[in-house]
Amino acid sequence: MKGKHTKKLIAALMGVTMGTSYVPAMAPATVSAESAGVEGTVIYSTDFEDGDVSMFANRGGDDTTVISASDEASVSGDKALLASGRTQDWNGPAFQLDNGVLKPYTEYSISFKMKGRYYTGGMVSMQYTDLDGKEHYSNLVQNISSSDWVSIDDLRVSFHDMQTKVKIYVEGGQDDIFIDDFKVVELKTPEIEKDLVSISDAFAKDFKVGTAITVGDLSSKPFMALLEKHFNRTITVGNEMKPDSVLDKEASQAYFEETGDDTTPQISFSTAKPILNYCQKNDIPVRIHTLVWHSQTPSWFFKEGFADDGEWVDKEKMLQRMENYIKAYFETLTELYPDVDFYACDVVNEAWTDSGTPREAGEPGNGNYEKSLWVEVFGDNSFIEPAFTFAREYAPKSCKLYYNDYNEYMDGKLNAIITMAKSLKEKGIIDGIGMQSHLDARQSLDAAFPSVGMYNNALDKYAELGLDIQITELDVTTPENAPTDANFDVQAKYYKGIFDAIYAHKDSISAVIWWGITDDKSWRANKYPLLFDAEYKAKESYYSIMEGVEAPPVEPDPQPEADYGDANEDGTVNLSDAILVLQAIGNPDAYGENGTDKSHITKQGAINGDVVNVGDGLTNSDALAIQEYLLKLVSELPKK
């Protein structure tokens, strides 16, 4: 096997965002691994000895936190930042990212020390505002607990320009908080292995190969480079198209108050827009995940008046809500993105227990993951058929409908899914089965679960239904916190067996989708389940599934016709075209083909703007030639 990787995961990449120019807060200095634990350039660093806390503030709104420099406690020197006057758990000191110090689409490491006045507890979190002005929150480091100073080391953050008002902050309790030795390091951008055979290209004639991503992933250049090389035939939006992200509580309650109608929940795709915009721009088909699910569906959706403390609605009203929700979901989505191929949809997700029975009635969470509010209202799984009926009515005709589940290879659940699928197939309202395929290689092939034979048997059974199969959330875990060569060898051999079984059923399988790309960003990061490590390098598992696979012939991309001179693609040649060419040359990070500015030049625009020595790329001569053309000093473009 190639490429042994034994480095232990230190911290997960988290995606945050802003859009602004780069202004260093201090003279840049190279940081060695010995001095900072990471290699890069110091962008901002303070021990607060000068009393300057201007880079920090409270979170705004009703946050009562007062930020000051204090000599009451410190790690080094005599002073530290003091956050006092906190009256709510969410109050706390925040470091504003969109302040001119950090660049979008760049990876940073943030490190600092924190201490409570009496006891150190809480968490480090992030918030941002999306394209529609809605705020979002996530926890980066949880369960901080100590009687003394706590070190937050190498917290990886990156961000993009589709979110604003981004903050990294400390919250929890109402105790005073001290912060010291705060440092931001800009990390070197790692290169992906460009000479590897593309997985999606290698299997393009057999099935789509793709992955699931979240909004934060868009900000990492190497992560997205791996996606574009290996997983570019389909994308699943990991979280942002699930019910709790799409259903809009405030809008639903406002609609109810205005109309008296509480059967029409309001929805929004504001959270998913950055990913959907990316798919639209790059012509990548999208797999919808998911409409009807017991998890990540807010309880107010099942309550009278859409109120948290309301009574449970009856079955008839819930059917009305379900229909209106599914109708609005598809109509809104296709109206916003009429040219995106929403080719598949998980209509119902995880409705059966491993033993093949419906879930228990009740609210999931707090250790009761098996419970379902759909069963709470319907009493059983009778909600499944109407969900598919409504999806068939309102989904685009090209969108295939799937039932999706995990542990789909266990006899009880497998048999329940098959019985259900046969009934739905007879009614013409289901197209396929989604096999999540969250698998576990464990410490040996003998201990792996499921065995390759068990997984292959499930593929046989689902294929016999005559329905399409999609592998929807593939990953293979290893023993927890044990990234050893031996464990990765077992993982690679197991991946090989599983992928051989998948390939043997390729005539019944239309897509194979990994649940992530790099181990460190996986939902099961401490079990290293994916094909690439935290340094964007291929693991043994990549080589195992590609063993014997020949690189597909490389066909040159057809060269699009050029509309010479029209660099900004507005249909005319004018001075703004020459200006854009100069901007793209002088500031490629902002105005180049992959630039962050909204008006950056596109690939087609760069072809149009290349009017001197065509094929050599943009130069100042191209901008000059466009101006000469406008002044009628040259008669045609390209310039001879």
Side-chain angles (χ1 to χ4, degrees), residues 92-104:
F95 179 74
Q96 188 82 22
L97 297 184
D98 47 345
N99 56 13
V101 176
L102 279 68
K103 297 181 294 185

Side-chain angles (χ1 to χ4, degrees), residues 29-92:
T30 299
V31 181
S32 68
E34 291 74 22
S35 65
V38 294
E39 187 176 358
T41 302
V42 173
I43 301 301
Y44 174 75
S45 180
T46 180
D47 57 8
F48 303 102
E49 292 304 296
D50 59 1
D52 183 7
V53 294
S54 60
M55 295 290 285
F56 300 82
N58 64 33
R59 296 177 57 200
D62 297 327
D63 188 347
T64 58
T65 304
V66 176
I67 306 295
S68 64
S70 170
D71 58 7
E72 297 179 65
S74 65
V75 174
S76 59
D78 299 319
K79 293 183 180 179
L81 179 147
L82 170 63
S84 58
R86 302 172 62 238
T87 56
Q88 301 290 333
D89 288 355
W90 61 269
N91 292 176

Side-chain angles (χ1 to χ4, degrees), residues 382 458 526:
S382 57
N526 62 352

Side-chain angles (χ1 to χ4, degrees), residues 510-522:
S510 62
V512 177
I513 299 154
W514 269 266
W515 204 247
I517 296 177
T518 58
D519 283 339
D520 57 313
K521 301 193 77 173
S522 166

